[in-house]
Amino acid sequence: MPTRHALQLAVPWERVEATEEDWETAEPGLLGTMWTQLVLVRHFEELVLRLAAEGLVHGPAHSSIGQEGGAVGSVLALAPGDTVTGSHRGHHQFLAKALAHVAPGGLDPVAPFPDEIRRVLLRTLAEICGLRRGWGGGRGGSMHLRWWEAGALGTNAIVGGGVPMAAGSAFCHRRAGTGAVTVTYLGDGAMNIGATLETLNLAAAWHLPLCFFVENNRYAVATTIEEATGEPRLSARGPGFGARSLQVDGMDPLATYLAMRSALEHLRAGDGPVLLEAETYRYYHQNGPFPGSAFRYRSREEEDAWRARDPLGTLAARMVARGPWSEDDLGGTRARAEALLQEVAEELFEPDPSGRPGTRRPRPSELPDPATVDQGIRSDLSELADAPLAPPEGPPGPRQTLRFVDAIAEVLRRRMAEDPRVLVLGEDVHRLGGGTNGATKGLAEAFPDRVLGTPISENAFCGLAGGMALDGRARPVVELMYADFLWVAADQLFNQIGKVRHMFGGDRGVPLVLRAKVAMGTGYGSQHSMDPAGIFATSAGWRIVAPSTPLDYVGLMNTALRLEDPVLVLEHVDLYPRQDEAPVEDWDFCLPLGAAAVRRRGQAVTVLGYLQMTHEVLQAVESTGVDAEVIDLRWLDRASLDWATIEASVQRTNRVLICEQGPLGPSWGAWVADELQRRCFDWLDAPIARVTGTVSSPTISEVLERAAIARAEEVARALVALTGGARA
């Protein structure tokens, strides 16, 4: 028989409970503030449910009634510089942080509410109801609440989706040495989400000051925690990742406050993340004003048992027992809160003249202007006002011959030397002499604390970079080892980074560069070969850059690193060893945003290409002798495409050929052809032609891979077919 040895946890896992002594010695000001916040949050949520029942909340109303004790108790332990992110059920988390921000000295239960409290409630209600005066102008609604100045970095509709971005905030706190921490509030469902677990691992590996505050309310929509996981004590997850873990009764606001105080000591000491599980309960269904028992997935007896432990009732009884407050004092807090919220509602809504008696509608002055629907998707480009712009063909001055991949490393080195906010992160970027292809060669030696080798966890490190970018104290350059891996991080890239500026009102930049390698033709198969341009073009928040020469890479990367938008920089592996012109002295120039390069003038046809396909097109033109005008697009997103150059060329040639290397399905050229035929219909003498790969993704077989992708031979055939072989 084998010998068995019990293994010990490497980090503490504890339950925190408030004792009678804790209640007796608690500062009266803390208890008073706690009560006042709980009352404001509870009455606010009850108002939201009433408005939802009237049809005045467009979309869901995920109330937090029953769960306020955890949010209020934990937030009151935080310092002003600490930051929080929240979940889709995040009204209480947001309000607790906002109220603490406007009343840093606390709140007196028997005093009138300051004007700033009214403003917080008004703007929060306006946002939930999709109105103009909301924090995001009504764009975020109930599930997307953000007030950056208060340290409330945003609640999130994707379960677990905001957790990686919180790690970015925590990273920036640690790097700045301020002692500040980040708390990411999430539910029990998020503890089964890959992004959360990836981030927990990364935060522990990097010792980030990040608290994972799990509100375990025991239900997803109707699925119980016991059905969803084999270990319903969710704090048990922490020790497996090396994170200190605490469990607390989330219905007890003082116990939660004490647990968070304990967590903060650990976080501020630089000892890594903490997982804090607060056992709590939502009184109502997932969405709306009905209890879960109305949908038969839980019993009234269970609901009554939890309601008997209501955080407001618990706190009120303790406060009256120890004084100096009376039941009338605390009842007065409730009455004033209800009156204030009714006043706020009346400011936003009016009787509906066309409705039944008693119905209301938003006041017309509170509705957002439909003309602003597309505003704030991306930067206004004011950040490029002082950029050292070169002509589209590049700056004057001496040139040298340099490998494409060496130009990548050198321009990154120059920018990191100049701007301490620039960091590079990704898998193996700090090893192997510059990552798997040498694109970060020498950077780890020159900037050891700013070249971050990550775990294999694309969701975590892409989201972390998004949080860094939003913070503003970092400009992350993220390397995806292969472009296909974007699907692993798709939530962070598209639902988070791509949408976050517009979703929260368009007032904060997201300066992030994502480098992605296109490996078609290298034998790496279907899961390591894709060109993601067509996919990213569907996300309005992203800009897309596709350099085809070392010189272009330098100028385009310099521009990308100045932008306040997320930028995808595509790199084709066939270009890495290619030698071409690069700067000798001027490595700081920027190529204009949205400026294509005309690589060859011609009269018979306009050919559009990018990346390696530009060189394939030039080879095809040379082999056929067709008098083609070849345009290397360089910028591929809708907002940046050089329509002026394209249209001017089409007006001369009257024919267009769009050339891509990859499969037909995720093609970038499809939408360009659609747009181009509307813009240039009167000048076209033939249908727009396209060259792409086949329907299938490239496979491992050298023969089948070649058959699946497009190269110069396919372009040559298309040129001859479209022009009849017209020569100069």
Side-chain angles (χ1 to χ4, degrees), residues 300-382:
R300 291 184 180 179
E301 291 76 15
E302 177 185 306
E303 291 172 344
D304 290 344
W306 280 93
R307 281 180 177 271
R309 300 171 51 209
D310 185 74
L312 275 77
T314 298
L315 182 59
R318 291 284 190 176
M319 292 174 69
V320 171
R322 61 166 284 175
W325 305 278
S326 66
E327 290 184 1
D328 287 344
D329 290 334
L330 303 187
T333 313
R334 284 181 172 272
R336 284 193 301 279
E338 187 63 25
L340 175 59
L341 285 162
Q342 288 302 320
E343 178 187 322
V344 164
E346 289 173 6
E347 184 167 343
L348 296 175
F349 301 100
E350 66 180 12
D352 186 349
S354 60
R356 297 188 308 274
T359 59
R360 293 185 285 183
R361 70 176 187 184
R363 295 184 184 277
S365 61
E366 298 295 335
L367 297 173
D369 182 356
T372 65
V373 63
D374 286 336
Q375 292 179 7
I377 294 174
R378 59 188 68 84
S379 165
D380 63 5
L381 303 182
S382 58

Side-chain angles (χ1 to χ4, degrees), residues 125-136:
L125 186 63
E127 186 60 43
I128 290 170
C129 295
L131 302 179
R132 178 181 54 81
R133 277 198 278 178
W135 300 103

Side-chain angles (χ1 to χ4, degrees), residues 272-292:
V274 174
L275 174 59
L276 201 170
E277 176 193 9
E279 298 173 312
T280 185
Y281 201 74
R282 56 171 167 83
Y283 293 171
Y284 294 95
H285 181 54
Q286 164 78 351
N287 172 33
F290 300 103

